[in-house]
Amino acid sequence: MKAVLTIAGSDSSGGAGIQADMKTICSHQLFAESVVTALTAQNTTGVYGVEEVEPAFVAQQIDVVFDDIRPDAVKVGMVSSPAIVRAIADGLRRHEAAHIVVDPVMVATSGSALIASEAVDALVAHLFPLAEVVTPNIPEAEVLAGMAIACPEDVQRAAELIAERCVAATATVPDFADSDAPVPAIMIKGGHGVGEPDAADDYLRLAHGEHIWLRGPRIETCNTHGTGCSLSSAIACNLAQGFAVDVAVREAKAYVAGALADGLDLGRGSGPLNHMWRYGPVPC
């Protein structure tokens, strides 16, 4: 059985973060492992508290996972401070981790901020060069690219600017300055909508510069808690099983679309997806 490691924050409501990641991994019939970066007190209506894990303990979790059941892919989600970013990057380099997917989580579905502003530069400099795929949504891509995104052409331009920022940032980091650090594939998720109102089209810029639009219908639901977490975890699952990046992303998009369309309705706010939708209807 292939193993996939999620490095992220815990969601006490079970809809996002590590809990969503592990449900996604298990739904792909893979073995789920976890490294906790933060504890959150949250539910479908918002995030009410965050407690960071000490960077040294984050590093220790990574070491003991890799020393025993080595993961075939890694998903990195909520990382709230530069020190934790560096601890993760050091650990993944130390263990020569493969198939890393970075979801640069900045704001929860409810609108609550989840990352310190100074951690964004650390993400780009230390984690993006290790990643095979990076999966910002449109608001996150706007922060990373330093521009507003209002149309499909803006999405493509933002992806190019993020790629350029990766190259520029790694040139200033001693670990990468003397190496040809690769640019990750960049998937800008279209759930926030910049094109046709009934479409949810995602954009994928592959590492060598090829670009692909991933077309899909917009699924009318207010229950989207954990969508980004689930998508990035599904991509990691597909990479662990040997899929090429474009195929891994397409399959992950289809998985999340099915989980949204299933129509699970829990909580008083933005509810979670049904991660197990492929296994039949939820019993009444």
Side-chain angles (χ1 to χ4, degrees), residues 112-129:
S112 302
L114 293 173
I115 184 172
S117 58
E118 60 269 21
V120 175
D121 288 338
L123 271 175
V124 175
H126 296 281
L127 278 177
F128 281 21

PDB file of all heavy atoms in Angstrom, residues 112-129:
ATOM      1  N   SER A 112     -11.324  33.654   7.657  1.00  0.00           N
ATOM      2  CA  SER A 112     -10.341  33.878   8.723  1.00  0.00           C
ATOM      3  C   SER A 112      -8.914  33.695   8.209  1.00  0.00           C
ATOM      4  O   SER A 112      -8.614  32.732   7.497  1.00  0.00           O
ATOM      5  CB  SER A 112     -10.591  32.905   9.880  1.00  0.00           C
ATOM      6  OG  SER A 112     -11.898  33.048  10.388  1.00  0.00           O
ATOM      7  N   ALA A 113      -8.008  34.624   8.581  1.00  0.00           N
ATOM      8  CA  ALA A 113      -6.605  34.530   8.170  1.00  0.00           C
ATOM      9  C   ALA A 113      -5.924  33.383   8.902  1.00  0.00           C
ATOM     10  O   ALA A 113      -6.133  33.184  10.105  1.00  0.00           O
ATOM     11  CB  ALA A 113      -5.882  35.838   8.460  1.00  0.00           C
ATOM     12  N   LEU A 114      -5.086  32.618   8.182  1.00  0.00           N
ATOM     13  CA  LEU A 114      -4.444  31.440   8.764  1.00  0.00           C
ATOM     14  C   LEU A 114      -2.925  31.477   8.675  1.00  0.00           C
ATOM     15  O   LEU A 114      -2.273  30.538   9.099  1.00  0.00           O
ATOM     16  CB  LEU A 114      -4.957  30.173   8.067  1.00  0.00           C
ATOM     17  CG  LEU A 114      -6.430  29.821   8.282  1.00  0.00           C
ATOM     18  CD1 LEU A 114      -6.816  28.651   7.389  1.00  0.00           C
ATOM     19  CD2 LEU A 114      -6.709  29.496   9.737  1.00  0.00           C
ATOM     20  N   ILE A 115      -2.350  32.548   8.137  1.00  0.00           N
ATOM     21  CA  ILE A 115      -0.903  32.587   7.941  1.00  0.00           C
ATOM     22  C   ILE A 115      -0.401  34.001   8.186  1.00  0.00           C
ATOM     23  O   ILE A 115      -1.057  34.987   7.824  1.00  0.00           O
ATOM     24  CB  ILE A 115      -0.543  32.119   6.519  1.00  0.00           C
ATOM     25  CG1 ILE A 115       0.976  32.049   6.323  1.00  0.00           C
ATOM     26  CG2 ILE A 115      -1.194  32.984   5.466  1.00  0.00           C
ATOM     27  CD1 ILE A 115       1.387  31.407   4.997  1.00  0.00           C
ATOM     28  N   ALA A 116       0.756  34.114   8.816  1.00  0.00           N
ATOM     29  CA  ALA A 116       1.382  35.418   9.002  1.00  0.00           C
ATOM     30  C   ALA A 116       1.903  35.903   7.653  1.00  0.00           C
ATOM     31  O   ALA A 116       2.383  35.118   6.829  1.00  0.00           O
ATOM     32  CB  ALA A 116       2.523  35.306  10.010  1.00  0.00           C
ATOM     33  N   SER A 117       1.815  37.214   7.406  1.00  0.00           N
ATOM     34  CA  SER A 117       2.210  37.752   6.104  1.00  0.00           C
ATOM     35  C   SER A 117       3.676  37.457   5.782  1.00  0.00           C
ATOM     36  O   SER A 117       4.033  37.203   4.631  1.00  0.00           O
ATOM     37  CB  SER A 117       1.952  39.259   6.066  1.00  0.00           C
ATOM     38  OG  SER A 117       2.661  39.918   7.112  1.00  0.00           O
ATOM     39  N   GLU A 118       4.529  37.464   6.822  1.00  0.00           N
ATOM     40  CA  GLU A 118       5.951  37.211   6.570  1.00  0.00           C
ATOM     41  C   GLU A 118       6.223  35.750   6.197  1.00  0.00           C
ATOM     42  O   GLU A 118       7.295  35.424   5.679  1.00  0.00           O
ATOM     43  CB  GLU A 118       6.790  37.602   7.786  1.00  0.00           C
ATOM     44  CG  GLU A 118       6.467  36.860   9.068  1.00  0.00           C
ATOM     45  CD  GLU A 118       5.428  37.557   9.924  1.00  0.00           C
ATOM     46  OE1 GLU A 118       4.660  38.390   9.378  1.00  0.00           O
ATOM     47  OE2 GLU A 118       5.376  37.275  11.139  1.00  0.00           O
ATOM     48  N   ALA A 119       5.242  34.867   6.454  1.00  0.00           N
ATOM     49  CA  ALA A 119       5.429  33.457   6.107  1.00  0.00           C
ATOM     50  C   ALA A 119       5.270  33.219   4.609  1.00  0.00           C
ATOM     51  O   ALA A 119       5.743  32.200   4.095  1.00  0.00           O
ATOM     52  CB  ALA A 119       4.450  32.584   6.881  1.00  0.00           C
ATOM     53  N   VAL A 120       4.626  34.144   3.903  1.00  0.00           N
ATOM     54  CA  VAL A 120       4.412  33.966   2.469  1.00  0.00           C
ATOM     55  C   VAL A 120       5.743  33.940   1.728  1.00  0.00           C
ATOM     56  O   VAL A 120       5.991  33.067   0.881  1.00  0.00           O
ATOM     57  CB  VAL A 120       3.493  35.068   1.910  1.00  0.00           C
ATOM     58  CG1 VAL A 120       3.380  34.945   0.393  1.00  0.00           C
ATOM     59  CG2 VAL A 120       2.120  35.006   2.561  1.00  0.00           C
ATOM     60  N   ASP A 121       6.642  34.878   2.042  1.00  0.00           N
ATOM     61  CA  ASP A 121       7.959  34.896   1.394  1.00  0.00           C
ATOM     62  C   ASP A 121       8.732  33.621   1.706  1.00  0.00           C
ATOM     63  O   ASP A 121       9.436  33.084   0.830  1.00  0.00           O
ATOM     64  CB  ASP A 121       8.765  36.112   1.854  1.00  0.00           C
ATOM     65  CG  ASP A 121       8.232  37.413   1.282  1.00  0.00           C
ATOM     66  OD1 ASP A 121       7.538  37.368   0.242  1.00  0.00           O
ATOM     67  OD2 ASP A 121       8.492  38.476   1.880  1.00  0.00           O
ATOM     68  N   ALA A 122       8.608  33.134   2.928  1.00  0.00           N
ATOM     69  CA  ALA A 122       9.300  31.903   3.308  1.00  0.00           C
ATOM     70  C   ALA A 122       8.756  30.712   2.519  1.00  0.00           C
ATOM     71  O   ALA A 122       9.520  29.831   2.098  1.00  0.00           O
ATOM     72  CB  ALA A 122       9.158  31.661   4.803  1.00  0.00           C
ATOM     73  N   LEU A 123       7.450  30.665   2.321  1.00  0.00           N
ATOM     74  CA  LEU A 123       6.851  29.601   1.511  1.00  0.00           C
ATOM     75  C   LEU A 123       7.455  29.570   0.119  1.00  0.00           C
ATOM     76  O   LEU A 123       7.872  28.515  -0.377  1.00  0.00           O
ATOM     77  CB  LEU A 123       5.340  29.829   1.397  1.00  0.00           C
ATOM     78  CG  LEU A 123       4.404  29.251   2.446  1.00  0.00           C
ATOM     79  CD1 LEU A 123       2.977  29.727   2.166  1.00  0.00           C
ATOM     80  CD2 LEU A 123       4.461  27.735   2.454  1.00  0.00           C
ATOM     81  N   VAL A 124       7.508  30.735  -0.521  1.00  0.00           N
ATOM     82  CA  VAL A 124       8.007  30.817  -1.893  1.00  0.00           C
ATOM     83  C   VAL A 124       9.486  30.431  -1.959  1.00  0.00           C
ATOM     84  O   VAL A 124       9.920  29.703  -2.862  1.00  0.00           O
ATOM     85  CB  VAL A 124       7.796  32.230  -2.462  1.00  0.00           C
ATOM     86  CG1 VAL A 124       8.428  32.359  -3.842  1.00  0.00           C
ATOM     87  CG2 VAL A 124       6.305  32.560  -2.537  1.00  0.00           C
ATOM     88  N   ALA A 125      10.261  30.894  -1.009  1.00  0.00           N
ATOM     89  CA  ALA A 125      11.709  30.679  -1.051  1.00  0.00           C
ATOM     90  C   ALA A 125      12.123  29.268  -0.648  1.00  0.00           C
ATOM     91  O   ALA A 125      13.063  28.705  -1.225  1.00  0.00           O
ATOM     92  CB  ALA A 125      12.409  31.696  -0.159  1.00  0.00           C
ATOM     93  N   HIS A 126      11.423  28.691   0.346  1.00  0.00           N
ATOM     94  CA  HIS A 126      11.904  27.432   0.920  1.00  0.00           C
ATOM     95  C   HIS A 126      11.089  26.203   0.519  1.00  0.00           C
ATOM     96  O   HIS A 126      11.652  25.103   0.404  1.00  0.00           O
ATOM     97  CB  HIS A 126      11.936  27.538   2.446  1.00  0.00           C
ATOM     98  CG  HIS A 126      12.887  28.560   2.964  1.00  0.00           C
ATOM     99  ND1 HIS A 126      14.251  28.347   3.059  1.00  0.00           N
ATOM    100  CD2 HIS A 126      12.687  29.828   3.388  1.00  0.00           C
ATOM    101  CE1 HIS A 126      14.840  29.431   3.533  1.00  0.00           C
ATOM    102  NE2 HIS A 126      13.917  30.346   3.742  1.00  0.00           N
ATOM    103  N   LEU A 127       9.772  26.350   0.323  1.00  0.00           N
ATOM    104  CA  LEU A 127       8.943  25.187   0.027  1.00  0.00           C
ATOM    105  C   LEU A 127       8.588  25.051  -1.448  1.00  0.00           C
ATOM    106  O   LEU A 127       8.537  23.935  -1.967  1.00  0.00           O
ATOM    107  CB  LEU A 127       7.666  25.221   0.871  1.00  0.00           C
ATOM    108  CG  LEU A 127       7.807  24.708   2.298  1.00  0.00           C
ATOM    109  CD1 LEU A 127       6.493  24.854   3.057  1.00  0.00           C
ATOM    110  CD2 LEU A 127       8.274  23.252   2.321  1.00  0.00           C
ATOM    111  N   PHE A 128       8.345  26.162  -2.132  1.00  0.00           N
ATOM    112  CA  PHE A 128       7.980  26.063  -3.542  1.00  0.00           C
ATOM    113  C   PHE A 128       9.045  25.354  -4.377  1.00  0.00           C
ATOM    114  O   PHE A 128       8.708  24.565  -5.265  1.00  0.00           O
ATOM    115  CB  PHE A 128       7.681  27.451  -4.126  1.00  0.00           C
ATOM    116  CG  PHE A 128       6.304  27.988  -3.794  1.00  0.00           C
ATOM    117  CD1 PHE A 128       5.584  27.499  -2.706  1.00  0.00           C
ATOM    118  CD2 PHE A 128       5.736  28.995  -4.544  1.00  0.00           C
ATOM    119  CE1 PHE A 128       4.322  27.995  -2.388  1.00  0.00           C
ATOM    120  CE2 PHE A 128       4.472  29.490  -4.252  1.00  0.00           C
ATOM    121  CZ  PHE A 128       3.768  28.999  -3.175  1.00  0.00           C
ATOM    122  N   PRO A 129      10.357  25.587  -4.135  1.00  0.00           N
ATOM    123  CA  PRO A 129      11.365  24.887  -4.946  1.00  0.00           C
ATOM    124  C   PRO A 129      11.372  23.377  -4.747  1.00  0.00           C
ATOM    125  O   PRO A 129      11.890  22.643  -5.600  1.00  0.00           O
ATOM    126  CB  PRO A 129      12.689  25.495  -4.460  1.00  0.00           C
ATOM    127  CG  PRO A 129      12.314  26.805  -3.884  1.00  0.00           C
ATOM    128  CD  PRO A 129      10.984  26.591  -3.254  1.00  0.00           C
TER     129      PRO A 129
END
